[in-house]
Amino acid sequence: MGVTDRKEREKTEMRELIRATAMKMFLEDGYAKTSIRSIADAIEYSPGTIYLYFKDKDELLYEVQGEAYGRLLEVFKKEATSTDPLEKLRQVGRSYINFGLQNPELYDLMFIIRAPMNVDEEIHKANGGNCFSFLVDCLDDCIKKNLLRLKDIEQASLLIWATAHGLVSLNLRCRLKIMDQPEEAIPQILIKSMEDYLAAVTI
């Protein structure tokens, strides 16, 4: 391995170390309480080293979110595999809700805290785009086969995403305690609510 190749490998490894450490600290300590200096202390480098790879904490958050969206996409690919468009749509809903419930801190970083403000708008669109496209493609199949009352693909995508997100968020923010349901019953209640909504928009 030449000097140039070794340097590129070292840069890649350092970038991954910073990103992995940032994700761990964002999840354990919270995004607001994590600083560039605290990340630098954790990896035993100076803050200046981190700024060689990321311009600010927002850009680091974007990187962490990108990995999180990648994990969600892998869940979709693994769990939403039916050849029946409606069943596949139900599988997307179930896998999304389960992902959020099983990864509450990660879900918070992805969908609840304010999006990075210093990242280019086009990059915002790219981050998580594959997950959204997975839902859109599934809905497109349903609409083309006249299986849904919803006919506008953008409206359908927004409504279904908002429903699933709302259910997960209500639970993560402890707003479902007013229902006086046992904690272990919540996942199935949320999934049943999602499936009832889908049934209501099915022809």
Side-chain angles (χ1 to χ4, degrees), residues 120-144:
D120 184 84
E121 183 177 346
E122 289 305 312
I123 297 179
H124 270 304
K125 294 178 181 178
N127 207 357
N130 287 339
C131 291
F132 189 63
S133 293
F134 195 98
L135 171 63
V136 170
D137 290 345
C138 184
L139 283 168
D140 190 48
D141 285 344
C142 291
I143 291 172
K144 285 179 177 177

mmCIF file with all atom_site columns, all heavy atoms in Angstrom, residues 120-144:
data_model
loop_
_atom_site.group_PDB
_atom_site.id
_atom_site.type_symbol
_atom_site.label_atom_id
_atom_site.label_alt_id
_atom_site.label_comp_id
_atom_site.label_asym_id
_atom_site.label_entity_id
_atom_site.label_seq_id
_atom_site.pdbx_PDB_ins_code
_atom_site.Cartn_x
_atom_site.Cartn_y
_atom_site.Cartn_z
_atom_site.occupancy
_atom_site.B_iso_or_equiv
_atom_site.pdbx_formal_charge
_atom_site.auth_seq_id
_atom_site.auth_comp_id
_atom_site.auth_asym_id
_atom_site.auth_atom_id
_atom_site.pdbx_PDB_model_num
ATOM 1   N N   . ASP A 1 120 ? -27.132 22.080 3.233   1.00 0.00 ? 120 ASP A N   1
ATOM 2   C CA  . ASP A 1 120 ? -27.771 22.482 1.991   1.00 0.00 ? 120 ASP A CA  1
ATOM 3   C C   . ASP A 1 120 ? -29.129 21.806 1.808   1.00 0.00 ? 120 ASP A C   1
ATOM 4   O O   . ASP A 1 120 ? -29.314 20.642 2.154   1.00 0.00 ? 120 ASP A O   1
ATOM 5   C CB  . ASP A 1 120 ? -26.847 22.109 0.816   1.00 0.00 ? 120 ASP A CB  1
ATOM 6   C CG  . ASP A 1 120 ? -27.407 22.583 -0.509  1.00 0.00 ? 120 ASP A CG  1
ATOM 7   O OD1 . ASP A 1 120 ? -27.179 23.761 -0.858  1.00 0.00 ? 120 ASP A OD1 1
ATOM 8   O OD2 . ASP A 1 120 ? -28.085 21.784 -1.181  1.00 0.00 ? 120 ASP A OD2 1
ATOM 9   N N   . GLU A 1 121 ? -30.095 22.550 1.250   1.00 0.00 ? 121 GLU A N   1
ATOM 10  C CA  . GLU A 1 121 ? -31.462 22.036 1.098   1.00 0.00 ? 121 GLU A CA  1
ATOM 11  C C   . GLU A 1 121 ? -31.501 20.758 0.271   1.00 0.00 ? 121 GLU A C   1
ATOM 12  O O   . GLU A 1 121 ? -32.279 19.845 0.559   1.00 0.00 ? 121 GLU A O   1
ATOM 13  C CB  . GLU A 1 121 ? -32.343 23.101 0.442   1.00 0.00 ? 121 GLU A CB  1
ATOM 14  C CG  . GLU A 1 121 ? -33.799 22.682 0.304   1.00 0.00 ? 121 GLU A CG  1
ATOM 15  C CD  . GLU A 1 121 ? -34.678 23.770 -0.289  1.00 0.00 ? 121 GLU A CD  1
ATOM 16  O OE1 . GLU A 1 121 ? -34.225 24.937 -0.356  1.00 0.00 ? 121 GLU A OE1 1
ATOM 17  O OE2 . GLU A 1 121 ? -35.810 23.453 -0.673  1.00 0.00 ? 121 GLU A OE2 1
ATOM 18  N N   . GLU A 1 122 ? -30.668 20.672 -0.771  1.00 0.00 ? 122 GLU A N   1
ATOM 19  C CA  . GLU A 1 122 ? -30.671 19.474 -1.601  1.00 0.00 ? 122 GLU A CA  1
ATOM 20  C C   . GLU A 1 122 ? -30.180 18.263 -0.816  1.00 0.00 ? 122 GLU A C   1
ATOM 21  O O   . GLU A 1 122 ? -30.640 17.138 -1.033  1.00 0.00 ? 122 GLU A O   1
ATOM 22  C CB  . GLU A 1 122 ? -29.789 19.695 -2.841  1.00 0.00 ? 122 GLU A CB  1
ATOM 23  C CG  . GLU A 1 122 ? -30.385 20.671 -3.845  1.00 0.00 ? 122 GLU A CG  1
ATOM 24  C CD  . GLU A 1 122 ? -31.795 20.251 -4.286  1.00 0.00 ? 122 GLU A CD  1
ATOM 25  O OE1 . GLU A 1 122 ? -31.972 19.059 -4.628  1.00 0.00 ? 122 GLU A OE1 1
ATOM 26  O OE2 . GLU A 1 122 ? -32.697 21.096 -4.289  1.00 0.00 ? 122 GLU A OE2 1
ATOM 27  N N   . ILE A 1 123 ? -29.240 18.500 0.118   1.00 0.00 ? 123 ILE A N   1
ATOM 28  C CA  . ILE A 1 123 ? -28.757 17.405 0.942   1.00 0.00 ? 123 ILE A CA  1
ATOM 29  C C   . ILE A 1 123 ? -29.861 16.935 1.875   1.00 0.00 ? 123 ILE A C   1
ATOM 30  O O   . ILE A 1 123 ? -30.022 15.752 2.139   1.00 0.00 ? 123 ILE A O   1
ATOM 31  C CB  . ILE A 1 123 ? -27.499 17.836 1.725   1.00 0.00 ? 123 ILE A CB  1
ATOM 32  C CG1 . ILE A 1 123 ? -26.373 18.184 0.754   1.00 0.00 ? 123 ILE A CG1 1
ATOM 33  C CG2 . ILE A 1 123 ? -27.046 16.730 2.671   1.00 0.00 ? 123 ILE A CG2 1
ATOM 34  C CD1 . ILE A 1 123 ? -25.097 18.651 1.428   1.00 0.00 ? 123 ILE A CD1 1
ATOM 35  N N   . HIS A 1 124 ? -30.653 17.896 2.385   1.00 0.00 ? 124 HIS A N   1
ATOM 36  C CA  . HIS A 1 124 ? -31.797 17.529 3.227   1.00 0.00 ? 124 HIS A CA  1
ATOM 37  C C   . HIS A 1 124 ? -32.697 16.552 2.476   1.00 0.00 ? 124 HIS A C   1
ATOM 38  O O   . HIS A 1 124 ? -33.180 15.563 3.039   1.00 0.00 ? 124 HIS A O   1
ATOM 39  C CB  . HIS A 1 124 ? -32.612 18.772 3.585   1.00 0.00 ? 124 HIS A CB  1
ATOM 40  C CG  . HIS A 1 124 ? -32.176 19.449 4.852   1.00 0.00 ? 124 HIS A CG  1
ATOM 41  N ND1 . HIS A 1 124 ? -32.106 18.791 6.057   1.00 0.00 ? 124 HIS A ND1 1
ATOM 42  C CD2 . HIS A 1 124 ? -31.789 20.719 5.089   1.00 0.00 ? 124 HIS A CD2 1
ATOM 43  C CE1 . HIS A 1 124 ? -31.699 19.621 6.989   1.00 0.00 ? 124 HIS A CE1 1
ATOM 44  N NE2 . HIS A 1 124 ? -31.498 20.804 6.432   1.00 0.00 ? 124 HIS A NE2 1
ATOM 45  N N   . LYS A 1 125 ? -32.950 16.842 1.210   1.00 0.00 ? 125 LYS A N   1
ATOM 46  C CA  . LYS A 1 125 ? -33.841 15.989 0.420   1.00 0.00 ? 125 LYS A CA  1
ATOM 47  C C   . LYS A 1 125 ? -33.244 14.605 0.204   1.00 0.00 ? 125 LYS A C   1
ATOM 48  O O   . LYS A 1 125 ? -33.963 13.607 0.166   1.00 0.00 ? 125 LYS A O   1
ATOM 49  C CB  . LYS A 1 125 ? -34.134 16.659 -0.925  1.00 0.00 ? 125 LYS A CB  1
ATOM 50  C CG  . LYS A 1 125 ? -34.943 17.946 -0.812  1.00 0.00 ? 125 LYS A CG  1
ATOM 51  C CD  . LYS A 1 125 ? -35.147 18.586 -2.185  1.00 0.00 ? 125 LYS A CD  1
ATOM 52  C CE  . LYS A 1 125 ? -35.942 19.885 -2.079  1.00 0.00 ? 125 LYS A CE  1
ATOM 53  N NZ  . LYS A 1 125 ? -36.114 20.545 -3.385  1.00 0.00 ? 125 LYS A NZ  1
ATOM 54  N N   . ALA A 1 126 ? -31.922 14.563 0.059   1.00 0.00 ? 126 ALA A N   1
ATOM 55  C CA  . ALA A 1 126 ? -31.265 13.287 -0.194  1.00 0.00 ? 126 ALA A CA  1
ATOM 56  C C   . ALA A 1 126 ? -31.257 12.407 1.047   1.00 0.00 ? 126 ALA A C   1
ATOM 57  O O   . ALA A 1 126 ? -31.377 11.181 0.955   1.00 0.00 ? 126 ALA A O   1
ATOM 58  C CB  . ALA A 1 126 ? -29.830 13.527 -0.678  1.00 0.00 ? 126 ALA A CB  1
ATOM 59  N N   . ASN A 1 127 ? -31.135 13.016 2.227   1.00 0.00 ? 127 ASN A N   1
ATOM 60  C CA  . ASN A 1 127 ? -31.043 12.241 3.460   1.00 0.00 ? 127 ASN A CA  1
ATOM 61  C C   . ASN A 1 127 ? -32.407 11.623 3.778   1.00 0.00 ? 127 ASN A C   1
ATOM 62  O O   . ASN A 1 127 ? -33.369 12.307 4.040   1.00 0.00 ? 127 ASN A O   1
ATOM 63  C CB  . ASN A 1 127 ? -30.604 13.153 4.607   1.00 0.00 ? 127 ASN A CB  1
ATOM 64  C CG  . ASN A 1 127 ? -29.875 12.394 5.689   1.00 0.00 ? 127 ASN A CG  1
ATOM 65  O OD1 . ASN A 1 127 ? -29.730 11.182 5.624   1.00 0.00 ? 127 ASN A OD1 1
ATOM 66  N ND2 . ASN A 1 127 ? -29.406 13.111 6.697   1.00 0.00 ? 127 ASN A ND2 1
ATOM 67  N N   . GLY A 1 128 ? -32.467 10.315 3.758   1.00 0.00 ? 128 GLY A N   1
ATOM 68  C CA  . GLY A 1 128 ? -33.737 9.627  3.996   1.00 0.00 ? 128 GLY A CA  1
ATOM 69  C C   . GLY A 1 128 ? -34.573 9.439  2.753   1.00 0.00 ? 128 GLY A C   1
ATOM 70  O O   . GLY A 1 128 ? -35.663 8.853  2.817   1.00 0.00 ? 128 GLY A O   1
ATOM 71  N N   . GLY A 1 129 ? -34.077 9.924  1.626   1.00 0.00 ? 129 GLY A N   1
ATOM 72  C CA  . GLY A 1 129 ? -34.858 9.831  0.394   1.00 0.00 ? 129 GLY A CA  1
ATOM 73  C C   . GLY A 1 129 ? -35.170 8.413  -0.030  1.00 0.00 ? 129 GLY A C   1
ATOM 74  O O   . GLY A 1 129 ? -36.253 8.134  -0.563  1.00 0.00 ? 129 GLY A O   1
ATOM 75  N N   . ASN A 1 130 ? -34.242 7.487  0.211   1.00 0.00 ? 130 ASN A N   1
ATOM 76  C CA  . ASN A 1 130 ? -34.474 6.094  -0.180  1.00 0.00 ? 130 ASN A CA  1
ATOM 77  C C   . ASN A 1 130 ? -35.610 5.466  0.620   1.00 0.00 ? 130 ASN A C   1
ATOM 78  O O   . ASN A 1 130 ? -36.380 4.662  0.092   1.00 0.00 ? 130 ASN A O   1
ATOM 79  C CB  . ASN A 1 130 ? -33.194 5.279  -0.008  1.00 0.00 ? 130 ASN A CB  1
ATOM 80  C CG  . ASN A 1 130 ? -32.152 5.605  -1.062  1.00 0.00 ? 130 ASN A CG  1
ATOM 81  O OD1 . ASN A 1 130 ? -32.481 6.130  -2.124  1.00 0.00 ? 130 ASN A OD1 1
ATOM 82  N ND2 . ASN A 1 130 ? -30.903 5.315  -0.766  1.00 0.00 ? 130 ASN A ND2 1
ATOM 83  N N   . CYS A 1 131 ? -35.698 5.835  1.908   1.00 0.00 ? 131 CYS A N   1
ATOM 84  C CA  . CYS A 1 131 ? -36.797 5.320  2.730   1.00 0.00 ? 131 CYS A CA  1
ATOM 85  C C   . CYS A 1 131 ? -38.138 5.831  2.210   1.00 0.00 ? 131 CYS A C   1
ATOM 86  O O   . CYS A 1 131 ? -39.106 5.079  2.096   1.00 0.00 ? 131 CYS A O   1
ATOM 87  C CB  . CYS A 1 131 ? -36.618 5.753  4.183   1.00 0.00 ? 131 CYS A CB  1
ATOM 88  S SG  . CYS A 1 131 ? -35.224 4.976  5.019   1.00 0.00 ? 131 CYS A SG  1
ATOM 89  N N   . PHE A 1 132 ? -38.169 7.132  1.922   1.00 0.00 ? 132 PHE A N   1
ATOM 90  C CA  . PHE A 1 132 ? -39.409 7.727  1.422   1.00 0.00 ? 132 PHE A CA  1
ATOM 91  C C   . PHE A 1 132 ? -39.783 7.126  0.064   1.00 0.00 ? 132 PHE A C   1
ATOM 92  O O   . PHE A 1 132 ? -40.948 6.841  -0.196  1.00 0.00 ? 132 PHE A O   1
ATOM 93  C CB  . PHE A 1 132 ? -39.253 9.241  1.320   1.00 0.00 ? 132 PHE A CB  1
ATOM 94  C CG  . PHE A 1 132 ? -40.534 9.965  1.023   1.00 0.00 ? 132 PHE A CG  1
ATOM 95  C CD1 . PHE A 1 132 ? -41.593 9.933  1.915   1.00 0.00 ? 132 PHE A CD1 1
ATOM 96  C CD2 . PHE A 1 132 ? -40.686 10.688 -0.143  1.00 0.00 ? 132 PHE A CD2 1
ATOM 97  C CE1 . PHE A 1 132 ? -42.780 10.595 1.645   1.00 0.00 ? 132 PHE A CE1 1
ATOM 98  C CE2 . PHE A 1 132 ? -41.868 11.362 -0.429  1.00 0.00 ? 132 PHE A CE2 1
ATOM 99  C CZ  . PHE A 1 132 ? -42.923 11.312 0.472   1.00 0.00 ? 132 PHE A CZ  1
ATOM 100 N N   . SER A 1 133 ? -38.778 6.895  -0.782  1.00 0.00 ? 133 SER A N   1
ATOM 101 C CA  . SER A 1 133 ? -39.034 6.309  -2.103  1.00 0.00 ? 133 SER A CA  1
ATOM 102 C C   . SER A 1 133 ? -39.591 4.903  -1.988  1.00 0.00 ? 133 SER A C   1
ATOM 103 O O   . SER A 1 133 ? -40.411 4.484  -2.814  1.00 0.00 ? 133 SER A O   1
ATOM 104 C CB  . SER A 1 133 ? -37.737 6.292  -2.926  1.00 0.00 ? 133 SER A CB  1
ATOM 105 O OG  . SER A 1 133 ? -37.319 7.600  -3.239  1.00 0.00 ? 133 SER A OG  1
ATOM 106 N N   . PHE A 1 134 ? -39.162 4.177  -0.970  1.00 0.00 ? 134 PHE A N   1
ATOM 107 C CA  . PHE A 1 134 ? -39.685 2.831  -0.755  1.00 0.00 ? 134 PHE A CA  1
ATOM 108 C C   . PHE A 1 134 ? -41.188 2.891  -0.508  1.00 0.00 ? 134 PHE A C   1
ATOM 109 O O   . PHE A 1 134 ? -41.955 2.109  -1.082  1.00 0.00 ? 134 PHE A O   1
ATOM 110 C CB  . PHE A 1 134 ? -38.982 2.185  0.447   1.00 0.00 ? 134 PHE A CB  1
ATOM 111 C CG  . PHE A 1 134 ? -39.167 0.700  0.545   1.00 0.00 ? 134 PHE A CG  1
ATOM 112 C CD1 . PHE A 1 134 ? -38.199 -0.171 0.084   1.00 0.00 ? 134 PHE A CD1 1
ATOM 113 C CD2 . PHE A 1 134 ? -40.320 0.166  1.113   1.00 0.00 ? 134 PHE A CD2 1
ATOM 114 C CE1 . PHE A 1 134 ? -38.376 -1.552 0.170   1.00 0.00 ? 134 PHE A CE1 1
ATOM 115 C CE2 . PHE A 1 134 ? -40.509 -1.204 1.207   1.00 0.00 ? 134 PHE A CE2 1
ATOM 116 C CZ  . PHE A 1 134 ? -39.532 -2.067 0.736   1.00 0.00 ? 134 PHE A CZ  1
ATOM 117 N N   . LEU A 1 135 ? -41.610 3.838  0.330   1.00 0.00 ? 135 LEU A N   1
ATOM 118 C CA  . LEU A 1 135 ? -43.041 4.021  0.590   1.00 0.00 ? 135 LEU A CA  1
ATOM 119 C C   . LEU A 1 135 ? -43.768 4.480  -0.667  1.00 0.00 ? 135 LEU A C   1
ATOM 120 O O   . LEU A 1 135 ? -44.838 3.958  -1.000  1.00 0.00 ? 135 LEU A O   1
ATOM 121 C CB  . LEU A 1 135 ? -43.238 5.046  1.712   1.00 0.00 ? 135 LEU A CB  1
ATOM 122 C CG  . LEU A 1 135 ? -44.682 5.517  1.959   1.00 0.00 ? 135 LEU A CG  1
ATOM 123 C CD1 . LEU A 1 135 ? -45.569 4.353  2.391   1.00 0.00 ? 135 LEU A CD1 1
ATOM 124 C CD2 . LEU A 1 135 ? -44.704 6.629  3.001   1.00 0.00 ? 135 LEU A CD2 1
ATOM 125 N N   . VAL A 1 136 ? -43.193 5.448  -1.367  1.00 0.00 ? 136 VAL A N   1
ATOM 126 C CA  . VAL A 1 136 ? -43.828 5.981  -2.576  1.00 0.00 ? 136 VAL A CA  1
ATOM 127 C C   . VAL A 1 136 ? -44.014 4.887  -3.626  1.00 0.00 ? 136 VAL A C   1
ATOM 128 O O   . VAL A 1 136 ? -45.081 4.785  -4.248  1.00 0.00 ? 136 VAL A O   1
ATOM 129 C CB  . VAL A 1 136 ? -43.001 7.150  -3.147  1.00 0.00 ? 136 VAL A CB  1
ATOM 130 C CG1 . VAL A 1 136 ? -43.511 7.545  -4.541  1.00 0.00 ? 136 VAL A CG1 1
ATOM 131 C CG2 . VAL A 1 136 ? -43.050 8.355  -2.211  1.00 0.00 ? 136 VAL A CG2 1
ATOM 132 N N   . ASP A 1 137 ? -42.995 4.068  -3.824  1.00 0.00 ? 137 ASP A N   1
ATOM 133 C CA  . ASP A 1 137 ? -43.093 2.986  -4.820  1.00 0.00 ? 137 ASP A CA  1
ATOM 134 C C   . ASP A 1 137 ? -44.195 1.998  -4.447  1.00 0.00 ? 137 ASP A C   1
ATOM 135 O O   . ASP A 1 137 ? -44.934 1.516  -5.314  1.00 0.00 ? 137 ASP A O   1
ATOM 136 C CB  . ASP A 1 137 ? -41.755 2.248  -4.932  1.00 0.00 ? 137 ASP A CB  1
ATOM 137 C CG  . ASP A 1 137 ? -40.679 3.091  -5.589  1.00 0.00 ? 137 ASP A CG  1
ATOM 138 O OD1 . ASP A 1 137 ? -41.023 4.117  -6.208  1.00 0.00 ? 137 ASP A OD1 1
ATOM 139 O OD2 . ASP A 1 137 ? -39.494 2.734  -5.472  1.00 0.00 ? 137 ASP A OD2 1
ATOM 140 N N   . CYS A 1 138 ? -44.293 1.708  -3.164  1.00 0.00 ? 138 CYS A N   1
ATOM 141 C CA  . CYS A 1 138 ? -45.344 0.796  -2.700  1.00 0.00 ? 138 CYS A CA  1
ATOM 142 C C   . CYS A 1 138 ? -46.728 1.396  -2.947  1.00 0.00 ? 138 CYS A C   1
ATOM 143 O O   . CYS A 1 138 ? -47.642 0.721  -3.448  1.00 0.00 ? 138 CYS A O   1
ATOM 144 C CB  . CYS A 1 138 ? -45.141 0.514  -1.220  1.00 0.00 ? 138 CYS A CB  1
ATOM 145 S SG  . CYS A 1 138 ? -46.292 -0.677 -0.535  1.00 0.00 ? 138 CYS A SG  1
ATOM 146 N N   . LEU A 1 139 ? -46.878 2.670  -2.617  1.00 0.00 ? 139 LEU A N   1
ATOM 147 C CA  . LEU A 1 139 ? -48.160 3.348  -2.839  1.00 0.00 ? 139 LEU A CA  1
ATOM 148 C C   . LEU A 1 139 ? -48.475 3.467  -4.326  1.00 0.00 ? 139 LEU A C   1
ATOM 149 O O   . LEU A 1 139 ? -49.638 3.366  -4.727  1.00 0.00 ? 139 LEU A O   1
ATOM 150 C CB  . LEU A 1 139 ? -48.122 4.737  -2.197  1.00 0.00 ? 139 LEU A CB  1
ATOM 151 C CG  . LEU A 1 139 ? -48.292 4.759  -0.676  1.00 0.00 ? 139 LEU A CG  1
ATOM 152 C CD1 . LEU A 1 139 ? -47.943 6.125  -0.127  1.00 0.00 ? 139 LEU A CD1 1
ATOM 153 C CD2 . LEU A 1 139 ? -49.717 4.371  -0.295  1.00 0.00 ? 139 LEU A CD2 1
ATOM 154 N N   . ASP A 1 140 ? -47.457 3.682  -5.122  1.00 0.00 ? 140 ASP A N   1
ATOM 155 C CA  . ASP A 1 140 ? -47.662 3.794  -6.569  1.00 0.00 ? 140 ASP A CA  1
ATOM 156 C C   . ASP A 1 140 ? -48.270 2.510  -7.120  1.00 0.00 ? 140 ASP A C   1
ATOM 157 O O   . ASP A 1 140 ? -49.186 2.542  -7.944  1.00 0.00 ? 140 ASP A O   1
ATOM 158 C CB  . ASP A 1 140 ? -46.322 4.096  -7.246  1.00 0.00 ? 140 ASP A CB  1
ATOM 159 C CG  . ASP A 1 140 ? -46.494 4.457  -8.714  1.00 0.00 ? 140 ASP A CG  1
ATOM 160 O OD1 . ASP A 1 140 ? -47.359 5.294  -9.031  1.00 0.00 ? 140 ASP A OD1 1
ATOM 161 O OD2 . ASP A 1 140 ? -45.754 3.904  -9.555  1.00 0.00 ? 140 ASP A OD2 1
ATOM 162 N N   . ASP A 1 141 ? -47.776 1.364  -6.657  1.00 0.00 ? 141 ASP A N   1
ATOM 163 C CA  . ASP A 1 141 ? -48.339 0.074  -7.084  1.00 0.00 ? 141 ASP A CA  1
ATOM 164 C C   . ASP A 1 141 ? -49.810 -0.032 -6.669  1.00 0.00 ? 141 ASP A C   1
ATOM 165 O O   . ASP A 1 141 ? -50.658 -0.481 -7.451  1.00 0.00 ? 141 ASP A O   1
ATOM 166 C CB  . ASP A 1 141 ? -47.559 -1.085 -6.460  1.00 0.00 ? 141 ASP A CB  1
ATOM 167 C CG  . ASP A 1 141 ? -46.218 -1.300 -7.123  1.00 0.00 ? 141 ASP A CG  1
ATOM 168 O OD1 . ASP A 1 141 ? -46.012 -0.773 -8.233  1.00 0.00 ? 141 ASP A OD1 1
ATOM 169 O OD2 . ASP A 1 141 ? -45.369 -1.994 -6.523  1.00 0.00 ? 141 ASP A OD2 1
ATOM 170 N N   . CYS A 1 142 ? -50.107 0.383  -5.442  1.00 0.00 ? 142 CYS A N   1
ATOM 171 C CA  . CYS A 1 142 ? -51.488 0.310  -4.947  1.00 0.00 ? 142 CYS A CA  1
ATOM 172 C C   . CYS A 1 142 ? -52.419 1.203  -5.754  1.00 0.00 ? 142 CYS A C   1
ATOM 173 O O   . CYS A 1 142 ? -53.536 0.810  -6.109  1.00 0.00 ? 142 CYS A O   1
ATOM 174 C CB  . CYS A 1 142 ? -51.534 0.714  -3.474  1.00 0.00 ? 142 CYS A CB  1
ATOM 175 S SG  . CYS A 1 142 ? -50.763 -0.460 -2.345  1.00 0.00 ? 142 CYS A SG  1
ATOM 176 N N   . ILE A 1 143 ? -51.962 2.414  -6.046  1.00 0.00 ? 143 ILE A N   1
ATOM 177 C CA  . ILE A 1 143 ? -52.795 3.372  -6.777  1.00 0.00 ? 143 ILE A CA  1
ATOM 178 C C   . ILE A 1 143 ? -53.008 2.916  -8.218  1.00 0.00 ? 143 ILE A C   1
ATOM 179 O O   . ILE A 1 143 ? -54.128 2.994  -8.750  1.00 0.00 ? 143 ILE A O   1
ATOM 180 C CB  . ILE A 1 143 ? -52.169 4.779  -6.716  1.00 0.00 ? 143 ILE A CB  1
ATOM 181 C CG1 . ILE A 1 143 ? -52.272 5.324  -5.281  1.00 0.00 ? 143 ILE A CG1 1
ATOM 182 C CG2 . ILE A 1 143 ? -52.854 5.734  -7.695  1.00 0.00 ? 143 ILE A CG2 1
ATOM 183 C CD1 . ILE A 1 143 ? -51.525 6.616  -5.048  1.00 0.00 ? 143 ILE A CD1 1
ATOM 184 N N   . LYS A 1 144 ? -51.960 2.429  -8.854  1.00 0.00 ? 144 LYS A N   1
ATOM 185 C CA  . LYS A 1 144 ? -52.082 1.965  -10.239 1.00 0.00 ? 144 LYS A CA  1
ATOM 186 C C   . LYS A 1 144 ? -53.044 0.791  -10.359 1.00 0.00 ? 144 LYS A C   1
ATOM 187 O O   . LYS A 1 144 ? -53.701 0.620  -11.383 1.00 0.00 ? 144 LYS A O   1
ATOM 188 C CB  . LYS A 1 144 ? -50.707 1.573  -10.782 1.00 0.00 ? 144 LYS A CB  1
ATOM 189 C CG  . LYS A 1 144 ? -49.827 2.763  -11.131 1.00 0.00 ? 144 LYS A CG  1
ATOM 190 C CD  . LYS A 1 144 ? -48.463 2.318  -11.639 1.00 0.00 ? 144 LYS A CD  1
ATOM 191 C CE  . LYS A 1 144 ? -47.617 3.515  -12.047 1.00 0.00 ? 144 LYS A CE  1
ATOM 192 N NZ  . LYS A 1 144 ? -46.246 3.114  -12.474 1.00 0.00 ? 144 LYS A NZ  1
#
